[in-house]
């Protein structure tokens, strides 16, 4: 079996998770009658201190529904240039929501609230008005960086002063919670809407949730149906999510430790793109003798799978299916390739 460091989405359900899925009580969720889905939604809403949540099949759908809740067609979203919502969601904000977007420079988790504040366009002046700000916690293309709580509080003040919404793409917010020890409810209190993922790091096979006020989630349910996201007996999937929340959050610290070991092994070669805070190890091969595709091909030939994010950008991701032994083997393989 190859050592798969491409993403934390490649994990497989554990035996305990499979048992929970098989035993799940189900109903028709389009009618709001799946008890396991309802329980998952209530649990996640409570974790973040919000009134309600909505289970969606994918993180991209959850993000795009959340954006449509705050940004009407023709209005503007502000986010960073590497944000998942505009980089990896296939132009959905424009295609489905009629949303225009403007970005601040890609700085990962190092967001400057003053820069964001200076970009907001108010109503009038015949300019497209800003209606929402989106941030990513943790930041994927920012190497798993964690936006500090104080920065998020400043962004909340910026949003309030401008009377715009603040959305969190929190696909990996569980990692920020573990890395910085910030309660999930403290994050939740700062955002109008959040999307949180159950299949990135937590080991569930599928699913994300939108979190927000009850009236927003009622609107979100309609948009989800419009986008083809209504599910029937989805309790078998929700049960996996509930199991993940109960068993797989605290163990994320193990993945952070594995990533730190990989980073320590690779650091002498000068290819680390950013400090490693969570489970992502970003590689910048701009000054390396090989590009990302060559490194990936060489690693694959030795049984290690990694991701290419750009011609000279690669990424390693640790997760629950990668053992300590596998991490050591991958570190040995990659250092051998980089040394050649």
């Amino acid at each position: 079996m190859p050592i798969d460091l491409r993403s934390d989405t490649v994990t497989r359900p554990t035996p305990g998770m499979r048992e929970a899925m098989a035993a799940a009580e189900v109903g028709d969720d389009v009618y709001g009658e799946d008890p396991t889905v309802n329980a998952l939604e209530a649990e996640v809403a409570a974790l973040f201190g919000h009134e309600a949540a909505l289970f969606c099949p994918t993180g991209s759908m959850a993000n795009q529904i959340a954006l449509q809740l705050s940004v009407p067609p023709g209005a503007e979203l502000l986010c960073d240039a590497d944000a998942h919502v505009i980089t990896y969601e296939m132009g959905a904000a424009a295609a489905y929501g009629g949303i225009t977007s403007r970005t601040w420079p890609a700085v990962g988790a190092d967001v400057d609230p003053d820069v964001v504040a200076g970009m907001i366009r108010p109503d009038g002046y015949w300019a497209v008005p800003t209606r929402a700000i989106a941030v990513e916690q943790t930041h994927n293309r920012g190497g798993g960086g964690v936006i500090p709580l104080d920065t998020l509080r400043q962004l909340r003040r910026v949003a309030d002063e401008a009377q715009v919404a603040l959305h969190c793409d929190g696909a990996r917010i569980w990692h920020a919670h573990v890395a910085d020890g910030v309660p999930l409810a403290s994050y939740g209190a700062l955002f109008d809407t959040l999307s949180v993922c159950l299949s990135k790091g937590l080991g569930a096979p599928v699913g994300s949730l939108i979190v927000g006020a009850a009236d927003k989630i009622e609107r979100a349910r309609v948009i989800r149906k419009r986008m083809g996201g209504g599910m029937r007996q989805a309790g078998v999937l929700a049960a996996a999510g509930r199991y993940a929340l109960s068993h797989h959050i605290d163990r994320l610290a193990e993945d952070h430790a594995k990533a730190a070991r990989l980073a320590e092994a690779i650091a002498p070669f000068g290819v680390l793109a950013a400090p490693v805070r969570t489970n992502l190890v970003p590689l910048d091969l701009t000054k390396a003798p090989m590009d990302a595709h060559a490194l990936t091909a060489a690693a694959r030939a030795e049984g290690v799978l990694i991701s290419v994010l750009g011609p000279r950008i690669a990424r390693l991701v640790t997760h629950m299916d990668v053992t300590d032994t596998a991490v050591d083997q991958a570190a040995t393989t990659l250092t051998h390739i980089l040394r050649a």
Side-chain angles (χ1 to χ4, degrees):
M1 291 288 293
I3 300 169
D4 198 338
L5 301 175
R6 290 174 299 173
S7 176
D8 46 7
T9 61
V10 302
T11 56
R12 292 154 296 183
T14 64
M17 183 178 287
R18 291 176 186 269
E19 290 177 9
M21 295 171 71
E25 186 179 359
V26 300
D28 191 321
D29 183 51
V30 171
Y31 288 111
E33 296 174 355
D34 190 301
T36 308
V37 171
N38 293 342
L40 172 66
E41 291 172 344
E43 180 179 1
V44 172
L47 284 174
F48 288 91
H50 274 268
E51 293 178 333
L54 181 69
F55 188 44
C56 295
T58 73
S60 291
M61 181 178 286
N63 271 331
Q64 293 304 321
I65 293 172
L67 295 183
Q68 290 179 55
L69 292 175
S70 296
V71 186
E76 179 181 79
L77 169 74
L78 296 182
C79 60
D80 80 270
D82 273 346
H84 193 283
V85 295
I86 61 165
T87 303
Y88 292 118
E89 299 185 10
M90 310 305 293
Y96 291 117
I99 297 170
T100 68
S101 57
R102 200 154 43 91
T103 62
W104 60 83
V107 290
D110 298 325
V111 183
D112 185 339
D114 290 335
V115 170
V116 178
M119 293 179 65
I120 294 173
R121 287 175 175 158
D123 286 316
Y125 311 103
W126 298 106
V128 176
T130 304
R131 288 289 181 256
I133 301 164
V135 295
E136 192 172 325
Q137 181 78 309
T138 63
H139 200 290
N140 178 17
R141 288 184 66 88
V146 180
I147 304 174
L149 185 61
D150 184 61
T151 299
L152 295 175
R153 286 172 173 158
Q154 292 179 59
L155 286 170
R156 179 71 264 173
R157 288 193 290 271
V158 167
D160 287 343
E161 290 172 4
Q163 297 183 320
V164 302
L166 186 61
H167 171 67
C168 178
D169 174 359
R172 294 187 175 93
I173 200 167
W174 322 102
H175 287 277
H177 161 65
V178 170
D180 278 5
V182 175
L184 295 172
S186 295
Y187 283 133
L190 297 173
F191 295 100
D192 298 283
T193 54
L194 303 94
S195 66
V196 298
C197 186
L198 303 171
S199 63
K200 287 183 175 175
L202 295 191
V206 66
S208 289
L209 293 98
I210 308 162
V211 184
D215 61 334
K216 288 184 179 293
I217 298 306
E218 281 304 307
R219 289 174 54 209
R221 192 174 296 276
V222 174
I223 299 171
R224 184 186 68 174
K225 189 69 165 65
R226 181 180 299 134
M227 294 179 70
M231 298 179 286
R232 301 297 180 174
Q233 287 71 36
V236 291
L237 301 176
R242 297 200 74 195
Y243 185 93
L245 293 174
S246 297
H247 295 83
H248 295 164
I249 292 180
D250 290 343
R251 66 149 308 281
L252 293 175
E254 300 172 23
D255 296 337
H256 299 177
K258 294 171 189 174
R261 283 178 24 225
L262 282 171
E264 183 179 7
I266 294 169
F269 299 93
V271 295
L272 280 181
V276 172
R277 291 289 324 280
T278 54
N279 69 321
L280 307 187
V281 182
L283 305 182
D284 182 351
L285 301 165
T286 302
K287 298 180 180 178
M290 62 174 59
D291 63 15
H293 290 283
L295 175 62
T296 301
R300 179 180 285 272
E302 298 295 328
V304 178
L305 307 182
I306 65 177
S307 284
V308 174
L309 301 187
R312 290 267 172 187
I313 303 173
R315 184 189 71 176
L316 319 175
V317 186
T318 56
H319 50 79
M320 60 192 303
D321 282 8
V322 178
T323 65
D324 289 328
T325 299
V327 167
D328 292 338
Q329 292 175 344
T332 298
T333 297
L334 292 170
T335 54
H336 173 74
I337 294 170
L338 291 168
R339 187 178 292 116

